[in-house]
Amino acid sequence: MVVRCLSLWLLLAVSVSAVAQRADDFVGVPGGTGYFSDDAVRVEFFCSLQSQLVERQRDRIASTYGWYLDVGGNAPLSCLRSARVPLQVAFDWLERARNFGFDDAQLIYETADGAAPQAADVWVPPGFEALLEPQLTLADVFFGGRKVGSVMVIYTPDKVEFQAPETVVNALPDLIEPLRVLQSLSGALDPNSAFACGFRGNNACGRLDPIPEVAGVIWDESRFRLDVFVNPEQLAVRGANIGKYLPPSSAEWSMMQTLYAALSGSFEQPDENYSLSGVNTISFRENRLVTDINVANDRFSIDELTVERDFEGLSYRGGYFNGDSSFLSFGTTNSVRGVSIGTSIDTRTDLRQSSGNSIEVFLATRSLVSIYKDGRLISSRNYDSGNQELDTTALPGGSYDIDIRIVDASGRETVETRFYVKSNQLPPLDEPNWYVELGQPTRINRDEVLREVNDGYLAKAGYLTRLSDTTAIGGGVIANNNQQALEVDFFSLNRGVQVDLSGIYADDGGYGFNLVGQLNWSTWTVSANYREIDNSKFDDEGGSITSADTVLGTSIRQSTLNVTKNTDYGYFSVQARQNERDGQARTEALSFRYSAPVWRFWDSDLSTQFEYTQEDSDWLALLSVNWRFNRGRWNLNLKPEYQANYIDSIDEQLNDGFFEANANWSDQDLFMSDLRVYSSAYKRGDFEGASIEYDHQLRYGRARAQVEHRNVNGVNSDNLNLNASTSFIVTEQGVAMGGQQQSQSAVVVNLKGEAAGVWFDVLVDRRPVAYAVPGASTVVTLRPFETYTIELRPRGNGFADLEGDIRTVTLYPGNVVDLDWSVEAATIVFGQVLLPDGTPVANALIEGIKGFASTDDYGLFQLELASSVSALEFVTRDYRCSVDVPEFES
């Protein structure tokens, strides 16, 4: 039936009213004795709940509702209220008891004339006795707090049974013995309804206690919900759901050119220094051609020119590139012309997970698991029920205790402390890391565009394997025309102790030794480093030593010992260091540092620091105070400092004061772009100055400018520094330019359409990183070797209808992916629709719009109306009507 709606109009306000009947109008007693309404009765509840459950809720119930649960006896427990109260109040208490999960509670009433007590059945009024018979219904089945399906069940007040239990078992994940679980869930089951969670919420509900021997259920008749519970011993350990390798690239052909420009000079001497540099990458999926270009002071050079590929754990390179020194403690990073192949750490998405020991927990329901280190939240994630391996990729390297905080579906919280160890020097347990590199060393020649190639060869190979959760061994070879060397490495990371030991020996007698150690105990940290290289054969030759001459480098001997302690009174640190290098004098230094606790008051904080350092015969003492004030967009900083310095070469002690003041301003959300202004003034003796800096991040790039005035011994100078960066991108869809930050890959957000007053935050992994405007393309640069989720969040003073969901992209170096969304202006309207006779179109579904909207009993509705919608359709069970959208002003 199609009718014409009379009107559609906007409303300012509406009032509604409703009536409800008294609770005791629907209360009956067994045996069909009819209704009763005595003025006062003696009330007593009988509950079959376990005492632990009642104990947890007793105080809360008593304080909230004023009645007491007696848990002194064995089950069934007597929940006693001895006062004589009106019958309506008694049934109100009973209703509240059921809301707390006491589903089998009964009310025993005794009338004023002293008649024998009777059980009042409040759940089956006269005429509804058939509800006590077995019922057949469709129920939602949940496992671990997550719905796994819907099945037919047969239930009575004290039993529940699956019609097809095999369907339920097939939907349960990670079962070790499915047949045994099937047997446990077949036939009539105890409903355990007393453990169901009512609508009020109850932290003691939603789990079986004790845990079933194999499997059990909780039946919630009020919501037709059946929760299944399985003993942990019947569940396999589920991995952390981290893929071993990065997925294939989401991009096809693209070209990306990053550009960096810098200029520095003074107004008095306008011979500025400038440079223009950038990396040009032409990519196709996981393959790329990379060119690193530099133009500086009229000189053009190409630092790198390589063809590269990284995919599923392997990396390939060929051309001019900087060599790899992975896994090796000796040898320098050389520029070579050659080829390289090895394991690709970048494409191992599980490496940060697998470089640490596994952490497993058992979850009775789907739960939120948070990992804390030193009281700081590191990661938080929802996990399904069962034995789960936690995702530890966000945990930093080292060995330490972590707190695992688990909040299950009913809100219960437990905390468990575990020891954890992780290091990038610990490769995955499943396979070692390795690489092989062969080529010729190169060097910069100012007269050549490409690097000049030296005679001879350079070869490297490294290997690292993991022995256990905490130890790894490895080694490698380095060779050229003049020297060949073999290196052996050992690494161990245990609770509070870290040791990294390496040694190398060359065929001509040169050798090297390196030790790095750290000990953490209570509030003490002791770290030490000793490195020695004896390569005297090449030291005797004098002059500049390069990789073409020796693989070990210059002879050196250096050591450092650092002891720190944190206390309630501040941070103390003592450091001793020594350095000796061929051709240079030996130096020794000892320093002490103390940082006092930070005092916070109002919107500011105050900190102090003292430092004393003695190097050979010179010494320096420094005392500083730092006051910071933050309010709104402003940040102020005052730093007075006093310094005493003795210089042995001139036999003079210099005492000087220093003062610096900073005032910084940031726009925060005032503009779509990100604008910051920094100002500073300082003075020390005859040296003083002031500066102002402008830093602006826009859709098209980033620009920074700084002007500084200095006065040194009466001589004035003014300096200017300019920096700018952007990206130039070519894809199959066209050309784009921009990027607030520069990186080696990007997405281009194309917003098609118009929407006045609206702009969008670009969220990358739910974090805003840029902004986009309708009718334009926005470049968002991102790190390569990652998989991202990209979504848009509307901002501004208007409303817009956005077509397009969350996108997922995987980026390799040089990849650029175009992402398209359609935008249309929208208005939020509140209105009423009537039939020609003035009757409201009640409870109608509204069609012709995006999303869901309906009218209420009075024909009132609220919806988001796109600018292109000219008519609405209202559909009820009896008829359909249409209405034209009237003209209105938003």
Side-chain angles (χ1 to χ4, degrees):
M1 177 178 179
V2 180
V3 299
R4 178 65 182 172
C5 300
L6 175 63
S7 62
L8 177 71
W9 52 287
L10 300 181
L11 298 178
L12 296 178
V14 64
S15 62
V16 297
S17 63
V19 295
Q21 293 172 292
R22 288 160 42 108
D24 56 351
D25 289 343
F26 300 99
V27 178
V29 297
T33 57
Y35 296 96
F36 61 93
S37 56
D38 302 273
D39 292 336
V41 295
R42 180 180 65 82
V43 181
E44 186 174 0
F45 296 114
F46 290 100
C47 317
S48 63
L49 293 174
Q50 294 188 14
S51 59
Q52 298 92 337
L53 179 61
V54 178
E55 283 281 8
R56 283 192 289 266
Q57 292 299 318
R58 180 175 57 187
D59 295 337
R60 178 185 172 195
I61 294 171
S63 62
T64 304
Y65 297 114
W67 48 274
Y68 178 75
L69 301 177
D70 181 10
V71 295
N74 297 322
L77 301 171
S78 175
C79 311
L80 180 62
R81 175 78 180 194
S82 59
R84 297 183 62 85
V85 296
L87 185 61
Q88 182 177 352
V89 175
F91 281 107
D92 181 56
W93 288 345
L94 185 58
E95 177 66 22
R96 292 175 179 179
R98 291 181 60 83
N99 290 337
F100 273 97
F102 306 147
D103 294 286
D104 57 348
Q106 295 184 40
L107 183 142
I108 306 300
Y109 79 96
E110 182 182 73
T111 60
D113 58 8
Q118 301 182 53
D121 190 347
V122 301
W123 310 117
V124 185
F128 293 88
E129 290 80 7
L131 294 178
L132 298 176
E133 301 298 326
Q135 306 290 318
L136 178 65
T137 189
L138 182 68
D140 294 328
V141 179
F142 286 76
F143 178 70
R146 172 174 290 184
K147 185 178 177 181
V148 296
S150 298
V151 298
M152 300 300 294
V153 298
I154 303 171
Y155 70 96
T156 66
D158 58 352
K159 299 292 181 183
V160 65
E161 181 178 351
F162 292 109
Q163 264 201 336
E166 62 277 1
T167 303
V168 177
V169 174
N170 291 335
L172 302 181
D174 309 314
L175 296 180
I176 297 177
E177 297 179 286
L179 183 59
R180 190 177 178 193
V181 176
L182 176 61
Q183 293 172 346
S184 180
L185 295 178
S186 299
L189 306 175
D190 186 345
N192 294 304
S193 299
F195 295 99
C197 295
F199 65 87
R200 293 182 184 270
N202 186 344
N203 287 340
C205 66
R207 65 174 178 177
L208 292 181
D209 190 7
I211 297 173
E213 182 178 350
V214 179
V217 300
I218 292 178
W219 166 236
D220 186 351
E221 179 185 350
S222 64
R223 293 186 291 171
F224 299 103
R225 169 171 173 157
L226 231 164
D227 286 85
V228 178
F229 296 85
V230 178
N231 190 292
E233 296 180 357
Q234 293 294 324
L235 299 172
V237 176
R238 186 180 298 180
N241 195 25
I242 301 174
K244 183 175 182 179
Y245 299 117
L246 194 70
S249 170
S250 301
E252 296 295 327
W253 286 103
S254 62
M255 189 277 286
M256 182 174 183
Q257 173 72 61
T258 60
L259 294 173
Y260 301 87
L263 183 145
S264 177
S266 65
F267 293 99
E268 292 78 11
Q269 298 178 347
D271 296 331
E272 296 90 356
N273 294 317
Y274 72 90
S275 68
L276 180 66
S277 62
V279 177
N280 180 278
T281 306
I282 301 174
S283 69
F284 177 70
R285 298 177 183 173
E286 300 85 24
N287 313 288
R288 58 196 177 274
L289 171 65
V290 181
T291 308
D292 189 350
I293 302 173
N294 290 276
V295 179
N297 297 331
D298 299 327
R299 178 179 177 271
F300 174 76
S301 65
I302 297 178
D303 290 343
E304 289 192 53
L305 178 60
T306 61
V307 177
E308 303 177 4
R309 173 179 171 82
D310 288 83
F311 190 64
E312 291 192 347
L314 287 178
S315 175
Y316 310 85
R317 288 192 297 174
Y320 291 79
F321 58 89
N322 290 321
D324 195 344
S325 296
S326 301
F327 324 142
L328 298 179
S329 299
F330 297 91
T332 57
T333 300
N334 314 104
S335 175
V336 299
R337 182 182 67 177
V339 294
S340 174
I341 183 174
T343 51
S344 173
I345 296 176
D346 293 321
T347 57
R348 283 293 299 269
T349 57
D350 68 334
L351 189 58
R352 286 180 294 174
Q353 167 83 9
S354 58
S355 61
N357 61 299
S358 63
I359 300 293
E360 297 175 4
V361 295
F362 171 75
L363 306 175
T365 67
R366 179 171 173 81
S367 304
L368 175 66
V369 182
S370 303
I371 301 177
Y372 289 80
K373 178 183 181 295
D374 299 328
R376 181 172 60 91
L377 178 65
I378 300 298
S379 68
S380 186
R381 176 179 165 185
N382 286 296
Y383 291 84
D384 289 331
S385 60
N387 296 304
Q388 297 282 356
E389 181 181 354
L390 301 186
D391 179 3
T392 57
T393 56
L395 285 171
S399 58
Y400 43 82
D401 287 327
I402 60 174
D403 293 324
I404 303 172
R405 184 169 298 173
I406 302 171
V407 181
D408 64 15
S410 66
R412 285 183 305 272
E413 180 179 304
T414 58
V415 178
E416 182 179 353
T417 301
R418 301 274 192 95
F419 176 68
Y420 182 73
V421 56
K422 175 195 280 189
S423 171
N424 292 330
Q425 293 176 268
L426 293 172
L429 282 168
D430 57 345
E431 65 179 70
N433 288 339
W434 60 272
Y435 76 96
V436 177
E437 179 181 299
L438 180 62
Q440 295 176 284
T442 64
R443 62 184 178 185
I444 295 177
N445 186 333
R446 296 188 58 86
D447 297 327
E448 301 290 338
V449 174
L450 284 173
R451 290 175 176 264
E452 182 180 349
V453 179
N454 295 330
D455 295 333
Y457 74 94
L458 179 64
K460 289 183 182 180
Y463 181 89
L464 185 66
T465 187
R466 189 166 174 175
L467 300 179
S468 67
D469 283 343
T470 60
T471 58
I473 60 170
V477 294
I478 313 174
N480 64 12
N481 293 73
N482 301 317
Q483 193 175 37
Q484 296 82 44
L486 174 67
E487 179 179 327
V488 178
D489 301 280
F490 172 80
F491 181 79
S492 177
L493 185 62
N494 290 282
R495 184 188 295 269
V497 180
Q498 174 181 333
V499 177
D500 186 359
L501 181 63
S502 304
I504 191 170
Y505 186 80
D507 60 338
D508 56 7
Y511 67 88
F513 177 77
N514 187 72
L515 171 65
V516 178
Q518 180 170 307
L519 172 65
N520 297 301
W521 176 72
S522 185
T523 58
W524 292 88
T525 299
V526 180
S527 59
N529 172 261
Y530 179 80
R531 184 178 181 89
E532 179 180 349
I533 296 178
D534 189 329
N535 201 18
S536 54
K537 175 182 177 180
F538 291 89
D539 296 339
D540 296 339
E541 295 181 359
S544 176
I545 300 249
T546 67
S547 60
D549 303 317
T550 172
V551 299
L552 290 184
T554 305
S555 294
I556 63 169
R557 183 180 292 109
Q558 62 186 31
S559 58
T560 303
L561 176 65
N562 191 58
V563 180
T564 63
K565 179 176 176 59
N566 279 313
T567 71
D568 295 336
Y569 307 102
Y571 170 85
F572 298 86
S573 173
V574 178
Q575 184 185 79
R577 59 183 182 273
Q578 175 184 298
N579 186 62
E580 184 178 357
R581 185 180 294 266
D582 178 59
Q584 298 180 3
R586 174 177 173 176
T587 61
E588 295 180 345
L590 178 67
S591 64
F592 168 79
R593 176 179 296 177
Y594 167 70
S595 297
V598 176
W599 293 281
R600 292 182 172 86
F601 49 93
W602 299 316
D603 295 325
S604 65
D605 59 71
L606 182 69
S607 61
T608 59
Q609 180 174 298
F610 173 76
E611 181 177 349
Y612 176 84
T613 301
Q614 179 164 347
E615 183 171 321
D616 296 329
S617 300
D618 298 341
W619 57 266
L620 171 70
L622 181 67
L623 175 65
S624 63
V625 178
N626 192 9
W627 177 76
R628 294 183 302 176
F629 174 82
N630 293 278
R631 175 168 292 180
R633 298 183 175 92
W634 286 96
N635 174 274
L636 304 178
N637 186 32
L638 301 179
K639 185 177 181 181
E641 187 176 274
Y642 182 80
Q643 174 180 303
N645 187 14
Y646 174 76
I647 304 175
D648 181 65
S649 59
I650 60 175
D651 191 21
E652 184 177 353
Q653 179 176 329
L654 305 176
N655 301 323
D656 200 0
F658 177 77
F659 180 81
E660 180 178 1
N662 298 282
N664 306 322
W665 181 89
S666 62
D667 76 300
Q668 297 180 0
D669 288 333
L670 187 61
F671 308 122
M672 287 189 293
S673 56
D674 192 358
L675 175 62
R676 292 180 174 87
V677 179
Y678 307 91
S679 62
S680 176
Y682 48 86
K683 179 177 176 58
R684 170 180 286 169
D686 295 330
F687 178 81
E688 61 185 26
S691 68
I692 185 168
E693 180 178 350
Y694 163 92
D695 186 353
H696 202 174
Q697 298 182 48
L698 307 98
R699 292 177 50 246
Y700 296 106
R702 182 176 186 179
R704 288 178 293 171
Q706 183 187 51
V707 178
E708 182 176 28
H709 172 78
R710 293 183 180 179
N711 184 304
V712 182
N713 295 322
V715 178
N716 294 313
S717 64
D718 296 287
N719 300 306
L720 172 67
N721 298 293
L722 298 175
N723 295 272
S725 62
T726 188
S727 294
F728 183 76
I729 287 171
V730 179
T731 66
E732 295 179 351
Q733 292 193 23
V735 178
M737 185 179 74
Q740 295 183 1
Q741 302 288 343
Q742 301 308 306
S743 192
Q744 299 179 34
S745 58
V747 296
V748 179
V749 177
N750 302 304
L751 289 182
K752 301 177 181 180
E754 297 293 336
V758 179
W759 51 280
F760 294 85
D761 281 333
V762 180
L763 305 182
V764 178
D765 295 336
R766 298 186 177 182
R767 182 175 59 91
V769 299
Y771 68 93
V773 296
S777 297
T778 302
V779 175
V780 182
T781 55
L782 299 169
R783 295 190 313 272
F785 298 116
E786 294 284 352
T787 296
Y788 300 97
T789 58
I790 314 293
E791 57 186 308
L792 301 181
R793 180 176 62 190
R795 298 285 297 276
N797 297 321
F799 294 95
D801 183 29
L802 184 68
E803 288 188 0
D805 52 3
I806 299 176
R807 316 294 175 80
T808 300
V809 297
T810 299
L811 300 177
Y812 288 73
N815 285 175
V816 181
V817 178
D818 280 291
L819 302 177
D820 299 333
W821 280 270
S822 296
V823 180
E824 184 178 10
T827 305
I828 305 299
V829 298
F830 181 44
Q832 185 183 41
V833 59
L834 306 171
L835 293 174
D837 61 1
T839 303
V841 179
N843 304 314
L845 180 66
I846 304 176
E847 296 182 349
I849 63 171
K850 293 179 181 178
F852 174 83
S854 63
T855 64
D856 65 4
D857 293 340
Y858 302 95
L860 299 173
F861 63 88
Q862 178 176 299
L863 54 81
E864 182 178 296
L865 190 67
S867 58
S868 60
V869 176
S870 59
L872 299 175
E873 295 285 331
F874 295 83
V875 182
T876 71
R877 294 182 178 181
D878 302 320
Y879 60 86
R880 171 190 295 268
C881 71
S882 63
V883 60
D884 293 332
V885 176
E887 294 185 2
F888 63 90
E889 293 184 2
S890 60

